[in-house]
């Protein structure tokens, strides 16, 4: 693909004085006028954190209105704050030693509790699929000790590969839940121990579920973390009832994004060769019946296209290190991509042309010191504006980019 510069202007930023973030969720309202975000509390020292405020921000008017708060949030994930059909917001809230969800009808000002936060909402709006927040935050969040999410429990929380936890399917009408795919079931899928990522003394978990546009297929990550700090992940998919479980790609490095019903894209990277100490431990474990992990075949870093049926191998779309997760424009045609910080502490936001071979660099934002910040661009319903986290002003804020010039003039950029 050919990379071109097409800077997009920043049209709005959240008010200074407090830090703000989008986190994981769907921030834009259906009419594209409001953004739901978190206003973060000050954290004077590790282990001391407070409640984040749930706010509605009008970028055009510059107004910010608080509507609630929660202590069930992390610097990396936020609180799964998202819009649902019917002008309703949902976010995570603490429920004793569990993390539940809250539905807030903005028109009626009515609140209803759910046993889980709404994570991957089915296109029909009736069902959500998600992982246990306790397991995700225990192994992945990187928050300091004493964070408000500490103390949460989940089935088999300390077990490396539990059969009683994994992805949960929740009916939003009555809150009924059932286990859709267990961690053990996903980890055991494949042929050899290496293909299954079943390394001894490793922690396995399922994360980042997402539905295809028609709701006929669910994709998610199976992640494996060992005690030396190494991490591996692979892309799996299943049908709405948890059946027809398939492995689609290995050595993935970010959340999956559906391009259409039959294709996904995923960031992948070069396989990591175990450090000597880690390899020695695995050789010792091999003596007890586990085969040692040999050097894995290197996978070129970049954005890869994946066949949802698993019938054809993944193909490289965009080579390059540090490419992150993104979002497809509602009208199609463009994929907005975040990125890791480069050597100059800048994060480049790109638009990849799904119908051609162009990549537009639309913004370069200062990365700052917030390692948990992952700027995933979020399209508004019109396909004109992008919202994302940034800290160009010295503190974590939310910015809106006007991508109209990029998405309308791309054909004129290449002769």
């Amino acid at each position: 693909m050919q990379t071109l510069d097409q800077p997009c202007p920043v049209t709005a930023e959240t008010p200074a004085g407090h830090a703000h973030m989008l986190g994981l969720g769907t921030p834009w309202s259906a009419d594209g006028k409001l953004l739901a975000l978190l206003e973060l509390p000050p954290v004077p020292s590790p282990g001391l954190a407070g409640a984040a405020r749930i706010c509605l921000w009008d970028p055009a008017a510059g107004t910010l209105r608080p509507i609630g708060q929660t202590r069930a949030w992390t610097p990396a994930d936020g609180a799964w704050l998202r819009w649902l059909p019917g002008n309703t917001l949902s976010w995570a809230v603490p429920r004793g030693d569990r993390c539940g969800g809250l539905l807030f009808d903005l028109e009626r000002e009515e609140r209803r509790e759910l046993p889980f936060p709404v994570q991957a909402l089915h296109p029909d709006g009736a069902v959500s699929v998600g992982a246990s927040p306790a397991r995700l935050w225990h192994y992945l969040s990187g928050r300091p000790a004493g964070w408000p999410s500490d103390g949460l429990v989940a089935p088999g929380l300390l077990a490396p590969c539990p059969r009683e936890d994994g992805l949960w399917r929740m009916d939003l009408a009555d809150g009924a839940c059932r286990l859709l795919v267990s961690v053990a079931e996903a980890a055991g899928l494949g042929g050899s121990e290496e293909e299954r990522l079943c390394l001894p003394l490793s922690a396995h978990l399922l994360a980042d579920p997402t539905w295809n546009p028609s709701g006929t297929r669910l994709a998610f990550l199976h992640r494996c973390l060992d005690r030396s700090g190494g991490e591996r992940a692979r892309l799996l998919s299943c049908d709405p009832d948890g059946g027809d479980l398939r492995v689609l790609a290995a050595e993935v490095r970010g959340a999956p994004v559906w391009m259409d019903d039959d294709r996904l894209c995923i960031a992948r990277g070069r396989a990591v060769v175990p450090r000597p100490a880690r390899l020695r431990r695995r050789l010792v474990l091999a003596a007890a019946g586990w085969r040692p992990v040999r050097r894995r075949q290197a996978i070129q870093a970049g954005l890869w296209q994946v066949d949802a049926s698993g019938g054809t191998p993944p193909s490289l779309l965009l080579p390059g290190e540090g490419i992150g997760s993104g979002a497809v424009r509602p009208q199609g045609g463009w994929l907005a991509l975040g990125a890791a910080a480069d050597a100059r502490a800048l994060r480049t936001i790109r638009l990849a042309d799904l119908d051609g071979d162009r990549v537009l660099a639309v913004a370069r934002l200062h990365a700052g010191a917030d390692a948990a910040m992952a700027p995933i661009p979020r399209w508004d319903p019109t396909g004109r504006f992008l919202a994302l986290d940034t800290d160009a002003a010295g503190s974590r804020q939310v910015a809106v980019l006007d991508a109209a010039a990029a998405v309308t003039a791309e054909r004129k950029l290449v002769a």
Side-chain angles (χ1 to χ4, degrees):
M1 283 190 175
Q2 183 179 8
T3 300
L4 303 167
D5 278 343
Q6 179 69 14
C8 293
V10 176
T11 61
E13 287 186 274
T14 42
H18 290 84
H20 303 93
M21 68 174 289
L22 296 176
L24 301 179
T26 307
W28 289 98
S29 61
D31 59 9
K33 295 181 179 179
L34 298 175
L35 276 162
L37 50 81
L38 273 68
E39 188 171 86
L40 307 181
V43 184
S45 61
L48 297 176
R53 294 206 299 178
I54 310 298
C55 297
L56 296 179
W57 177 42
D58 184 335
T63 58
L64 194 70
R65 178 167 65 97
I67 61 170
Q69 66 176 27
T70 182
R71 290 181 62 86
W73 68 281
T74 68
D77 302 334
W80 287 292
L81 177 61
R82 62 170 304 135
W83 291 88
L84 277 65
N87 205 24
T88 299
L89 274 174
S90 173
W91 63 85
V93 291
R95 295 282 179 261
D97 59 3
R98 304 277 177 163
C99 179
L102 182 71
L103 297 183
F104 179 35
D105 187 320
L106 292 171
E107 294 180 358
R108 301 179 182 179
E109 295 190 353
E110 295 177 353
R111 300 171 184 253
R112 183 164 64 89
E113 296 182 5
L114 292 171
F116 280 97
V118 177
Q119 296 180 39
L121 184 68
H122 191 275
D124 67 9
V127 170
S128 168
V129 171
S132 298
R135 190 167 187 86
L136 290 177
W137 292 344
H138 182 81
Y139 291 105
L140 288 182
S141 71
R143 77 262 183 262
W147 204 260
S149 56
D150 280 359
L152 297 180
V153 300
L157 179 61
L158 301 182
C161 198
R163 296 187 178 277
E164 62 270 34
D165 197 10
L167 291 181
W168 296 84
R169 177 187 172 105
M170 178 176 64
D171 190 325
L172 268 64
D174 58 9
C177 298
R178 70 176 179 87
L179 189 61
L180 188 70
V181 178
S182 74
V183 177
E185 183 182 8
L189 188 66
S192 68
E193 292 158 4
E194 169 70 1
E195 291 171 344
R196 295 197 304 269
L197 308 189
C198 273
L199 304 179
L201 303 181
S202 299
H204 296 254
L205 64 157
L206 308 183
D208 300 310
T210 177
W211 294 97
N212 68 353
S214 65
T216 59
R217 201 75 189 165
L218 181 77
F220 58 94
L221 297 186
H222 163 217
R223 305 177 72 167
C224 173
L225 303 91
D226 68 32
R227 292 187 177 183
S228 297
E231 178 181 342
R232 297 176 61 193
R234 58 183 188 165
L235 177 65
L236 276 62
S237 75
C238 66
D239 63 28
D241 294 320
D244 192 24
L245 195 60
R246 305 176 187 178
V247 178
L248 302 182
E251 304 302 344
V252 303
R253 294 290 183 266
V257 178
W258 287 96
M259 302 166 65
D260 53 41
D261 271 347
D262 304 313
R263 298 177 301 159
L264 303 100
C265 58
I266 191 79
R268 306 176 78 195
R270 299 187 185 279
V272 177
V273 178
R275 294 191 297 268
R278 192 189 310 170
L279 182 58
R280 283 198 302 272
R281 190 185 70 248
R282 292 179 184 175
L283 290 171
V284 171
L285 292 168
W290 292 85
R291 289 182 294 176
V293 176
R294 298 179 175 86
R295 183 186 181 97
R296 299 189 296 274
Q297 182 179 2
I299 293 176
Q300 185 173 359
L303 186 71
W304 290 69
Q305 178 178 300
V306 179
D307 177 6
S309 70
T312 58
S315 58
L316 183 64
L317 287 176
L318 176 63
E321 297 283 350
I323 295 176
S325 297
V328 174
R329 187 169 179 249
Q331 293 76 16
W334 291 96
L335 174 69
L337 292 167
D342 61 17
R344 297 174 297 170
L346 295 176
R347 302 180 191 271
T348 300
I349 307 302
R350 301 178 177 90
L351 296 184
D353 184 357
L354 297 178
D355 301 317
D357 59 355
R358 286 167 297 279
V359 178
L360 307 181
V362 297
R364 289 182 175 87
L365 306 173
H366 184 258
D370 190 350
M373 187 180 72
I376 302 175
R378 311 300 176 87
W379 290 99
D380 82 318
T382 70
R384 173 176 178 174
F385 295 104
L386 288 168
L388 68 159
D389 291 344
T390 178
D391 69 347
S395 66
R396 190 164 183 173
Q397 300 296 335
V398 176
V400 174
L401 303 179
D402 186 349
V407 300
T408 57
E410 79 281 358
R411 300 301 171 189
K412 302 177 184 178
L413 295 174
V414 180

